[in-house]
Amino acid sequence: MNENQNVFIVRCGEVALKGLNKPYFERMLVERARKLLRIFDNVQVTRREGLIFVYADAKHPPEAITREISKVFGVASISPAVETESDLDVIGAAAAEYMRGRMERDGVKTFKVEAKRADKSFPVQSPDIARIIGAEVLKAREGLKVDVHEPDCLLFVDLRKDKTYIYDQKIAGFGGLPLGTNGRGLVLLSGGIDSPVAAFMMAKRGMRVDALHFHSYPYTSNRARDKVEELARLLAAYCGRFELHVINLLPIQEQLAERCPEDEMTILVRRFMMRIGERVAEKIGCGMLITGESLGQVASQTAESLTVTDAATKMPVMRPLIGLDKVDIMDKAREIGTYETSILPYEDCCTVFLPKRPVTKPKLARILESESKVDAERLIDEAVASAETVIIRPGPRG
Ligand code: ATP
Ligand code: MG
């Protein structure tokens, strides 16, 4: 660290439980953090003593750095800190200075010091360190009082071998596992609330995601398409660069509408989405499909409908939202920042040819019978061949 840098202590969540594989997961996490923090100057990310330390140029607001670090999956919490020599006089002075800032900025009136001595060879024990530093702060900061029960500010002093860290905040990350440690999946990305959350949840468990979107142009507009690209970009803040494949489903919908029972339209379309999804996934090296389905949410997500949809593909289909209520999914969408875009009122391909009373308990045999009336293989081949690929990168549009 040099004088012009701020330091951030980054704690791993589940990664810390990984036993022999821990170094691999930590390496992946550090690599991801370095990538995300490239937008800042003078950044270093290092692993030391079971923690990850991020240094960044002091000209950047600590909140901006913290926000970026929190998007690294695997991070449990982040503490913007002050780094000092492991010497009680130096720590005392730094702690007093730290508290000055907290008093002036946040009107802190009471505090308590909590000390931890990771370096057991240090001659003073933790409770004594806390007492000594507390006394130094009191001496330097008039008007400040100690409150051991409900302090305005709980000041942590983390004394390590070479350096000591002073901080009072632990900002939660999303947890999970570092991106790239758990295969690759293709998310069927609509413009709705659910599928971006589903993609986020799989990526949070370490899966790299690419996306596939269906539209029904000209029944669906370019604005609907822009909205999906915007959602993809918002996801890329967490998932990194990925491929968005875009396919017009209208030729399939038209043939289904012409030749099959109207009330089966939705389930038939869903099976085509799965079959096309499987083909695109295989082509680009994704081993799984991901959808935003949630049990019982709509007619196409009843137990019977999901069974019939699932039978369309041999590929594993991940449905991370299956047991969540809509309100919980909406909360998650707000938390990750996709909600406002998702609720923009543009039409979706599923609303084109929407049956008045869709079947809620489809039987596979009946559905297969209906499917035999269309030229499924050819339609799928043509759809896959017509896919457009957009490379999605994190960051503002442009
Ligand atoms: P969402 O909020 O994701 O749109 P939904 O409640 O509208 O979900 P459905 O329309 O039944 O539910 O879709 C279920 C899932 O099917 C979606 O979560 C998504 O994974 C996939 N899907 C639906 N429409 C599309 C589309 N136009 N393109 C790609 N995938 C889609
Ligand atoms: Mg939808």
Side-chain angles (χ1 to χ4, degrees), residues 47-51 53 118-119 160-163 165:
R47 280 193 291 156
R48 217 161 55 222
E49 301 177 67
L51 289 172
F53 293 87
D119 173 17
R160 295 178 170 266
K161 200 156 192 68
D162 298 318
K163 300 285 179 194
Y165 299 87

Side-chain angles (χ1 to χ4, degrees), residues 188-190 192-195 212 214 270 291-292 297 300-301 349:
L188 304 194
L189 189 67
S190 71
I193 296 168
D194 306 333
S195 42
L212 171 59
F214 298 102
R270 299 213 46 75
T291 77
Q297 195 186 81
S300 62
Q301 294 169 35
C349 75

Side-chain angles (χ1 to χ4, degrees), residues 18 100 104 112 124 299 336 347 354 396:
K18 282 289 175 196
R100 187 173 64 82
E104 283 172 6
K112 174 189 172 182
V124 186
I336 67 174
E347 51 316 283
L354 190 69

Side-chain angles (χ1 to χ4, degrees), residues 163-176:
K163 300 285 179 194
T164 291
Y165 299 87
I166 299 169
Y167 58 88
D168 74 324
Q169 280 176 294
K170 274 189 190 165
I171 297 146
F174 286 106

